[in-house]
Amino acid sequence: MAFSTLLEEIGGFGRYQWIHVTIITFPALLLMSQNVLNNFVSGIPSHHCSLPANHSLYNLSHDQVDEKQLLKAFIPLDSSGTTLDSCRRFVEPQWHLIDTNSSVNVSLLQTEKCLNGWTFDHSEFYSTTVSEWELVCSRRPLKRMIQTIYMGGVLAGAIIFSSLSDRFGRRPILLWSYLQLAVFGCAGALSPSYTVYCIFRFLCGMAVSGVMIDSVAMSMEWIPTKERAIVGTLNSITYSFGQMILAGIAYSLRDWRKLQAAISAPHFLFFALTWWCSESARWLILNNRSDVALKNLYRVARINGRPEIIGKLTTDVLDLHMKKEIKMSRLSFTAYDLLKTRGMRRISICLLTVWFATSFAFYGLVMDLQQFGVNIYLMQLVFGAADIPAKLVFLIILSRLGRKVSQPSCLFLSALVIFANIFIPKDMQVIRTTLACLGKGFTAASFTVVYLYTPELYPTVIRQTGLGFVSTMARVGSMAAPVVLILDEVLPALPGLVYGGSAVVAGCFACFLPETLKVPLPETIDDVEQKW
């Protein structure tokens, strides 16, 4: 009796699995919001240099001039010649510029930095970290640093929590991750300074990684083989709905502290709900805790309406039928074992490339919504909605044609759309935005496939270590993506070439991964070597 067969014996995808998956999946509505929260929490409002405190004394004859006209005397136009410069002001007021018929060459007029700070427009955002801590002009890189630090936390969490999960179990690490995210997320809303806020964001990033890794394992290890693709895709679609919900919450609040708290506080509820879920029986058996595994299996059987199976299951039965897997689990496994044997090495190298490229292209598209020149809240809503049809299509492909076709298809299609967008003029915003939505949909579908694919490729004895190891490259990709946007100043087409090129390379590597459709989860490294 393999463990997959045992799951069928206790009810397959029964009532327990429905409740279990619902509890594990529901938090995804807000989890993805953490990854793109910086778009709103650190949104950049329109701004210009604050006027000198004594500007009204310069020329009293201009008392009747409205503020918009008055700004022309203090703030030069930017390089486009249509909007006020965000980072410079005239050294002396240029009252003659208020006259619309003035023909003075303003490029010859002396300007200076914003010595009195900045004045921010509050029509789009009431308050952001940018306006509160003045992260503009020469301090603008600090705004991007918040996201980089957060993703650094996600990277650290992938490394730390994956190992802890294999050692201490899926459930306790998942519970801790929810609690950490709730506590430090709410604490971030009370941050007195930029530095303190960055520290809290790093800790939130760690917790998000822990939730993502362990929620996948908790779901997959209680679900029969044939339902894994559907559950994995539905979980991914929940992430998409979460992005749409974020647009509504951000639009309603528009204050970064309130938004930070609203996105983080519900994880206290998720922490409480997760206590209902049982620890993975598969993990318990492989860690010499068959007695606890048996209790959990009895509980699942009762909830699924299969009490007759209880009398047939004993610890001796479990140990007998999983003897090989238990023996292998006594060995100590590290990340080195992911590269030690030929089959594991091929899988790991391919997955490292796929995870990096998927995250790299995805966050390259979603982390600067203001670049499209469209209302940021509408853009977030559209980006979230764009994922759903792409994921549903690939759900069908996953179930019919398998993972081996789906993974490279997602990557090649995303690369095609990204490359196409390079040739669209920037003034054609509708077409560029449409192509960006398609590209984002394909990269999101690639995430869906690889999140399902990875646990199916790695054996139980090292599954969490493997998932953490390869998903580490996704965190590296998400950290590198914003940096590549700087290449736009060298050559506008360069970021698109880099993002699309990485997707093409990863698509080629994905072609070398084995098919796992309707294949039972491997239990040991030997299973992987024999199968693939």
Side-chain angles (χ1 to χ4, degrees):
M1 183 190 296
F3 191 80
S4 56
T5 306
L6 181 59
L7 286 177
E8 295 293 345
E9 290 289 330
I10 61 173
F13 196 84
R15 184 185 303 169
Y16 172 83
Q17 278 72 18
W18 277 109
I19 300 173
H20 178 88
V21 168
T22 300
I23 292 175
I24 295 296
T25 302
F26 187 63
L29 288 172
L30 293 180
L31 201 62
M32 184 60 191
S33 299
Q34 292 285 342
N35 287 354
V36 296
L37 189 61
N38 206 50
N39 280 334
F40 301 97
V41 166
S42 299
I44 304 177
S46 298
H47 56 280
H48 59 75
C49 295
S50 296
L51 302 186
N54 60 345
H55 70 269
S56 61
L57 302 178
Y58 278 104
N59 193 324
L60 298 178
S61 65
H62 291 82
D63 285 345
Q64 302 305 313
V65 177
D66 63 46
E67 184 177 352
K68 187 175 181 180
Q69 286 291 104
L70 186 64
L71 287 174
K72 293 182 179 180
F74 289 88
I75 312 296
L77 297 177
D78 62 12
S79 57
S80 69
T82 57
T83 58
L84 296 176
D85 195 293
S86 300
C87 302
R88 307 290 297 179
R89 71 180 189 184
F90 292 122
V91 174
E92 295 292 336
Q94 306 298 317
W95 298 111
H96 55 278
L97 295 179
I98 295 178
D99 182 2
T100 56
N101 296 320
S102 175
S103 59
V104 177
N105 186 353
V106 295
S107 64
L108 300 177
L109 299 176
Q110 191 176 4
T111 60
E112 63 185 1
K113 296 179 180 180
C114 300
L115 302 180
N116 299 97
W118 289 263
T119 298
F120 293 90
D121 176 68
H122 298 291
S123 61
E124 190 171 32
F125 305 103
Y126 298 154
S127 173
T128 69
T129 60
V130 170
S131 62
E132 182 163 333
W133 294 316
E134 298 188 335
L135 308 180
V136 293
C137 299
S138 62
R139 290 168 55 85
R140 188 165 181 166
L142 294 178
K143 180 254 186 185
R144 294 192 183 278
M145 186 60 66
I146 295 175
Q147 183 66 15
T148 300
I149 290 172
Y150 168 80
M151 286 300 179
V154 176
L155 172 60
I159 297 171
I160 295 171
F161 286 128
S162 60
S163 296
L164 292 178
S165 179
D166 277 337
R167 183 175 180 182
F168 298 107
R170 288 46 165 140
R171 185 170 175 266
I173 301 303
L174 182 59
L175 286 167
W176 172 261
S177 297
Y178 279 136
L179 185 60
Q180 179 174 322
L181 183 55
V183 170
F184 291 114
C186 291
L190 304 175
S191 300
S193 67
Y194 172 82
T195 302
V196 173
Y197 181 67
C198 286
I199 292 172
F200 286 137
R201 287 303 289 162
F202 180 87
L203 294 170
C204 284
M206 288 184 64
V208 165
S209 202
V211 171
M212 286 184 170
I213 290 172
D214 285 284
S215 61
V216 169
M218 285 278 283
S219 293
M220 293 298 108
E221 293 182 358
W222 273 116
I223 296 173
T225 303
K226 61 183 180 181
E227 281 85 13
R228 290 201 306 258
I230 296 176
V231 171
T233 303
L234 292 178
N235 182 64
S236 182
I237 290 175
T238 305
Y239 280 101
S240 300
F241 277 113
Q243 294 178 62
M244 298 168 68
I245 290 173
L246 173 63
I249 298 174
Y251 180 80
S252 300
L253 298 177
R254 302 202 185 198
D255 179 282
W256 78 268
R257 293 185 184 273
K258 293 179 181 178
L259 178 59
Q260 177 76 40
I263 295 299
S264 302
H267 288 89
F268 284 114
L269 173 62
F270 305 148
F271 167 77
L273 290 174
T274 305
W275 283 94
W276 183 89
C277 298
S278 297
E279 175 62 274
S280 166
R282 185 193 299 266
W283 179 86
L284 288 167
I285 295 169
L286 295 178
N287 283 269
N288 199 29
R289 298 176 62 186
S290 297
D291 54 336
V292 181
L294 197 61
K295 292 178 181 178
N296 289 350
L297 290 168
Y298 287 168
R299 178 175 181 246
V300 173
R302 283 194 295 269
I303 295 174
N304 284 347
R306 300 294 295 275
E308 68 278 3
I309 195 66
I310 294 177
K312 301 177 183 178
L313 288 178
T314 66
T315 55
D316 291 336
V317 171
L318 295 181
D319 293 343
L320 176 64
H321 289 284
M322 296 191 70
K323 184 177 181 180
K324 177 183 175 182
E325 292 83 351
I326 293 172
K327 181 179 178 181
M328 291 297 298
S329 69
R330 299 292 180 268
L331 303 176
S332 178
F333 294 101
T334 64
Y336 173 69
D337 293 289
L338 298 172
L339 302 169
K340 189 175 180 180
T341 58
R342 182 181 179 183
M344 293 290 288
R345 182 165 55 249
R346 174 165 59 92
I347 289 171
S348 296
I349 291 175
C350 291
L351 286 176
L352 285 169
T353 309
V354 170
W355 276 91
F356 174 85
T358 299
S359 181
F360 186 59
F362 181 86
Y363 285 103
L365 291 170
V366 305
M367 281 317 303
D368 193 10
L369 297 183
Q370 290 180 291
Q371 67 174 312
F372 296 102
V374 182
N375 181 284
I376 189 172
Y377 304 102
L378 177 61
M379 198 66 201
Q380 179 65 46
L381 182 66
V382 172
F383 258 34
D387 292 357
I388 297 175
K391 291 177 178 179
L392 289 175
V393 168
F394 277 95
L395 170 60
I396 298 173
I397 296 175
L398 272 171
S399 302
R400 300 290 178 84
L401 302 180
R403 288 64 160 147
K404 189 175 177 64
V405 173
S406 302
Q407 189 68 73
S409 297
C410 289
L411 291 163
F412 287 140
L413 288 171
S414 63
L416 179 64
V417 173
I418 292 171
F419 286 145
N421 219 357
I422 294 174
F423 301 99
I424 306 300
K426 287 193 174 182
D427 57 344
M428 301 177 69
Q429 292 182 345
V430 174
I431 297 177
R432 287 179 58 83
T433 301
T434 301
L435 289 175
C437 288
L438 286 173
K440 197 255 185 178
F442 288 131
T443 55
S446 181
F447 259 130
T448 300
V449 177
V450 77
Y451 256 114
L452 173 67
Y453 209 176
T454 302
E456 292 180 337
L457 288 167
Y458 282 128
T460 302
V461 293
I462 199 171
R463 180 167 295 123
Q464 288 305 95
T465 300
L467 183 58
F469 178 70
V470 296
S471 65
T472 294
M473 290 305 294
R475 317 314 168 198
V476 175
S478 63
M479 294 173 67
V483 178
V484 174
L485 292 174
I486 300 174
L487 297 176
D488 181 74
E489 300 177 5
V490 179
L491 180 66
L494 206 51
L497 289 172
V498 175
Y499 293 136
S502 67
V504 170
V505 172
C508 293
F509 273 85
C511 293
F512 292 96
L513 289 171
E515 182 57 75
T516 60
L517 179 63
K518 298 180 180 179
V519 176
L521 290 176
E523 303 289 351
T524 68
I525 292 177
D526 284 343
D527 288 345
V528 172
E529 298 301 322
Q530 291 171 10
K531 286 181 181 179
W532 302 314

